[in-house]
Amino acid sequence: MEPSIPLSPDNVKSLFDSVEAFLFDCDGVIWKGDKLIEGVPETLEMLRSKGKKIVFVTNNSRKSRKQYANKFLQLGLTVSGEEIFSSSFAAAMYLKINNFPPEKKVYVIGGEGILEELELAGFTGLGGPASHHLGRLGTSSENIRYGTLCIRENPGCLFIATNRDAVGHMTDLQEWPGAGCMVGAICGSTQKEPIVVGKPSTFMMDFLLKKFQINTSKMCMVGDRLDTDILFGQNAGCKTLLVLSGVTTLSVLQDPSNNIQPDYYTGKVADIFQFLRP
Amino acid sequence: MEPSIPLSPDNVKSLFDSVEAFLFDCDGVIWKGDKLIEGVPETLEMLRSKGKKIVFVTNNSRKSRKQYANKFLQLGLTVSGEEIFSSSFAAAMYLKINNFPPEKKVYVIGGEGILEELELAGFTGLGGPASHHLGRLGTSSENIRYGTLCIRENPGCLFIATNRDAVGHMTDLQEWPGAGCMVGAICGSTQKEPIVVGKPSTFMMDFLLKKFQINTSKMCMVGDRLDTDILFGQNAGCKTLLVLSGVTTLSVLQDPSNNIQPDYYTGKVADIFQFLRP
């Protein structure tokens, strides 16, 4: 495997010219917690002005696309719901394209955003966020018990995971168990494996391809996680750019035990803008 | 693989004569919830009167050996703490034989019994049972968060699971997520695999061998679960007897997809007593 090379003023032009659509992860790339990462607005503006397509691909399923569009707006970025591909949307689309009968019910262990996307797709969701004292895990033991029973007692019951991310970051300082924690709990009590619709699975790619009609070799996935973002880009045949503004450090990238190497890496998204300036 | 054969008046004598120690699982074998299973006292009495060693090997880690001895007593059976091998005891012994420094701390996601066994073995346990509203899962999202951080942020931190049982049964009617559920959650958020000290791992077998000085081929493991009890017996080279008084039905045993076949199967422990009567 070729080691990843740093993005630089010397190689940025060839990457830029070969790419027609940039796919961005959000957390750790566009924002961190509730703060926009430095230089993002100018970079997105520049990309758009040069005719590049932009799309946001997030594994975080707590929000619907509409809720994400609002978050962008609050941070001063104008993004349409159509430019956002969230794993909550992907979960609803998975049911849609597999002709899940709309009269059946979908039990949700997760956030409001999933319920909203299910409803938009014409499905009935049950469950959803648990009481607030449980915090980020967003689920109670009652939810797990019920979900376990649904899967164990109903042959053919679908078990769909929006993602299996191990941890999330609410702030720079705190690491929290991610959706992979509760997915692991359900696996442990059902002894079944889920269908994953978020990154690194390429399920969402079909929708992206339909939307843009651009070959994946002309797309560049920009993300901060090796095992989701970069793997997703590689699995789909995209170019890949790791930014170090999120969870992955340079020493993790360059550790001999790491076997996921993006094509390029750089500090933050705004470096694209910086390096391209004459 | 040879299919399992039913225990019968014709073959019970040869099994009985070849076995010097009977290892019994408890839940679904000796009792069900809070009720003794029919014929257990007479059977245990008969085994003892014929000079057979008896030991109870349970994966349920909520209780310490002392608490188990009390449960036996309440059900009218006299059993010493020494005859009980629980996975809570096994967890403490794992630390003991691996020279875990007693000045270090052990964070417990689980029941009171684990804390008690740790203390008896000279270790300091933290955590333990969460508030009661979380019920059987016996843990809160705070515990999971803290446990996740311990493992992720401390290189070399041990991750020990008393068992990975998928489900438990409080009553005949209800299935509950077992310890495998919370172990799965920790795996999902740490991306590490645990050291399992309960069945089907044979970790406890070293203690049994030291205690009895009997070759495992002269032991018979009697249990109601294929993937823990029977597999444990087989992994250790014991003879195995499945009883259908717990979680496993005859149709599950005989399903073509099942690849764990005990040597014998029968309805309940008391059949040994019945079949041996002249």
Side-chain angles (χ1 to χ4, degrees), chain B residues 23 40 91 97 129 169 199 229 242:
Chain B
L23 321 182
V40 163
I97 70 163
H169 291 80
K199 297 172 282 184
D229 301 323
L242 178 77

Side-chain angles (χ1 to χ4, degrees), chain B residues 34-79:
Chain B
D34 279 325
K35 276 194 196 143
L36 205 58
I37 290 173
E38 190 201 336
V40 163
E42 303 88 299
T43 309
L44 296 182
E45 200 184 322
M46 179 273 289
L47 292 174
R48 284 195 171 113
S49 74
K50 303 276 187 188
K52 305 297 180 186
K53 307 282 183 201
I54 289 179
V55 63
F56 302 93
V57 186
T58 172
N59 257 4
N60 191 323
S61 57
R62 274 181 306 156
K63 290 186 166 65
S64 62
R65 285 165 304 156
K66 199 175 147 200
Q67 289 171 317
Y68 270 112
N70 280 338
K71 172 153 185 171
F72 277 100
L73 204 60
Q74 278 164 17
L75 292 171
L77 299 171
T78 309
V79 166

Side-chain angles (χ1 to χ4, degrees), chain A residues 6-19:
Chain A
L7 196 67
S8 74
D10 293 335
N11 59 29
V12 69
K13 189 94 181 29
S14 79
L15 173 67
F16 189 81
D17 289 344
S18 68
V19 169

Side-chain angles (χ1 to χ4, degrees), chain A residues 230-275:
Chain A
I230 301 305
L231 197 57
F232 168 76
Q234 290 177 343
N235 286 345
C238 302
K239 293 193 168 58
T240 53
L241 170 61
L242 177 78
V243 289
L244 303 171
S245 52
V247 301
T248 309
T249 60
L250 188 58
S251 64
V252 166
L253 172 68
Q254 294 178 338
D255 193 281
S257 72
N258 169 40
N259 53 16
I260 303 171
Q261 293 287 341
D263 297 317
Y264 300 94
Y265 69 90
T266 195
K268 56 186 187 304
V269 159
D271 295 343
I272 305 172
F273 181 58
Q274 284 292 334
F275 293 155

Side-chain angles (χ1 to χ4, degrees), chain B residues 241-277:
Chain B
L241 169 62
L242 178 77
V243 289
L244 303 172
S245 51
V247 302
T248 308
T249 59
L250 188 59
S251 64
V252 165
L253 172 67
Q254 296 178 336
D255 193 281
S257 72
N258 168 40
N259 52 19
I260 302 171
Q261 293 288 340
D263 297 317
Y264 299 94
Y265 69 89
T266 196
K268 56 187 187 304
V269 159
D271 296 343
I272 304 173
F273 182 59
Q274 284 292 335
F275 293 155
L276 278 173
R277 286 169 96 168

Side-chain angles (χ1 to χ4, degrees), chain A residues 108-163:
Chain A
V108 177
I109 302 179
E112 196 66 51
I114 301 177
L115 290 172
E116 203 172 306
E117 291 293 351
L118 284 174
E119 199 185 311
L120 282 171
F123 300 110
T124 308
L126 299 173
S131 45
H132 284 294
H133 69 275
L134 285 163
R136 176 75 192 275
L137 283 178
T139 189
S140 75
S141 63
E142 293 300 329
N143 289 140
I144 298 173
R145 263 182 225 149
Y146 189 76
T148 296
L149 285 178
C150 287
I151 296 169
R152 288 182 64 92
E153 315 256 311
N154 295 298
C157 176
L158 292 171
F159 172 23
I160 301 170
T162 55
N163 70 78

Side-chain angles (χ1 to χ4, degrees), chain B residues 142-190:
Chain B
E142 293 300 329
N143 290 139
I144 299 174
R145 261 181 227 149
Y146 189 75
T148 296
L149 285 178
C150 287
I151 297 168
R152 289 182 64 91
E153 314 258 311
N154 295 299
C157 175
L158 292 172
F159 172 22
I160 300 171
T162 55
N163 71 77
R164 298 192 82 155
D165 292 5
V167 290
H169 291 80
M170 298 285 269
T171 67
D172 267 13
L173 296 170
Q174 276 187 305
E175 218 172 48
W176 297 67
C181 176
M182 281 302 121
V183 173
I186 302 291
C187 292
S189 58
T190 60

Side-chain angles (χ1 to χ4, degrees), chain A residues 68-210:
Chain A
Y68 269 112
N70 280 337
K71 170 151 187 173
F72 277 100
L73 203 60
Q74 277 164 16
L75 293 170
L77 299 170
T78 308
V79 165
S80 76
E82 296 242 313
E83 287 174 305
I84 300 167
F85 284 77
S86 63
S87 60
S88 50
F89 171 64
M93 286 305 104
Y94 184 89
L95 296 176
K96 195 94 181 169
I97 69 163
N98 285 287
N99 299 312
F100 186 77
E103 68 277 12
K104 292 207 172 183
K105 294 191 177 58
V106 184
Y107 187 71
V108 177
I109 302 179
E112 196 66 51
I114 301 177
L115 290 172
E116 203 172 306
E117 291 293 351
L118 284 174
E119 199 185 311
L120 282 171
F123 300 110
T124 308
L126 299 173
S131 45
H132 284 294
H133 69 275
L134 285 163
R136 176 75 192 275
L137 283 178
T139 189
S140 75
S141 63
E142 293 300 329
N143 289 140
I144 298 173
R145 263 182 225 149
Y146 189 76
T148 296
L149 285 178
C150 287
I151 296 169
R152 288 182 64 92
E153 315 256 311
N154 295 298
C157 176
L158 292 171
F159 172 23
I160 301 170
T162 55
N163 70 78
R164 298 192 80 155
D165 291 6
V167 290
H169 291 79
M170 298 284 270
T171 67
D172 265 12
L173 296 170
Q174 277 186 303
E175 217 171 49
W176 297 67
C181 176
M182 282 302 121
V183 173
I186 302 291
C187 292
S189 58
T190 59
Q191 301 184 313
K192 295 240 161 73
E193 287 296 303
I195 299 150
V196 180
V197 294
K199 298 173 278 183
S201 131
T202 55
F203 174 74
M204 277 192 281
M205 195 48 79
D206 286 341
F207 297 90
L208 281 164
L209 289 173
K210 226 173 256 172

